[in-house]
Amino acid sequence: LLKGAALSSDPVVFIEHKALYGEEGEIGDSDDIIPPGRAIVRGSGSDLLVISYSHAFQTAWKALSEYRNRITFLDLATIHPLDEDAIAGAYRRIGKALIVQDTPLPGSVGESVLRVISGLGMKVDARLVSALDMPVPVSKELESSVFPDREAVLKAAFSLGL
């Protein structure tokens, strides 16, 4: 994604979540370039669509690890421009979505995703799991209570019939 941002002729602001600094995983080939505005699809399950980005994507990915064969995960990767075509196409195929974000609901990316889904003219069967609408505490112990956790993700996924 950083390579795609560097190659873009448009101005790009690259922001990363501090909780991701300790994460390990595959980074792809040196030729892999993800252009800004393109979501990354992981999996091809048909029971549930999980839409997320940044640290919240990792939270959802880990929480739903034993159900990955039944889920399509859509990592938004960039939040502006939003890959509305990927969101619409995946939702049309699956028909229910779980949106997970580490930000409060008002004015959020999750609301933008719901706008895309509701504009499809289909029944909206979606849940949005987001951070509490409050300042993030300084204490490490209290900080984690503000953001969605494994239990919140699983509860929302099960409420959608997973």
Side-chain angles (χ1 to χ4, degrees), residues 17 55 101-103 130-132 136 143-149 152:
H17 197 294
H55 181 258
Q101 63 182 13
D102 276 344
T103 56
S130 60
L132 299 177
V136 178
E143 179 181 318
S144 63
S145 67
V146 173
F147 301 108
D149 59 9

Side-chain angles (χ1 to χ4, degrees), residues 68-154:
R68 286 186 194 154
N69 61 330
R70 298 172 53 193
I71 300 171
T72 295
F73 289 86
L74 190 62
D75 182 352
L76 295 176
T78 60
I79 57 175
H80 189 76
L82 194 61
D83 192 346
E84 294 184 8
D85 291 337
I87 295 166
Y91 189 81
R92 278 189 188 105
R93 184 173 67 83
I94 298 168
K96 48 188 166 175
L98 170 59
I99 304 156
V100 184
Q101 63 182 13
D102 276 344
T103 56
L105 181 60
S108 67
V109 172
E111 283 188 334
S112 296
V113 170
L114 283 172
R115 176 191 49 78
V116 171
I117 291 171
S118 65
L120 296 175
M122 300 174 62
K123 174 186 170 209
V124 176
D125 193 6
R127 304 290 182 280
L128 178 54
V129 178
S130 60
L132 299 177
D133 190 9
M134 62 178 283
V136 178
V138 176
S139 163
K140 203 68 152 153
E141 293 77 24
L142 293 176
E143 179 181 318
S144 63
S145 67
V146 173
F147 301 108
D149 59 9
R150 180 180 190 278
E151 289 74 29
V153 171
L154 287 171

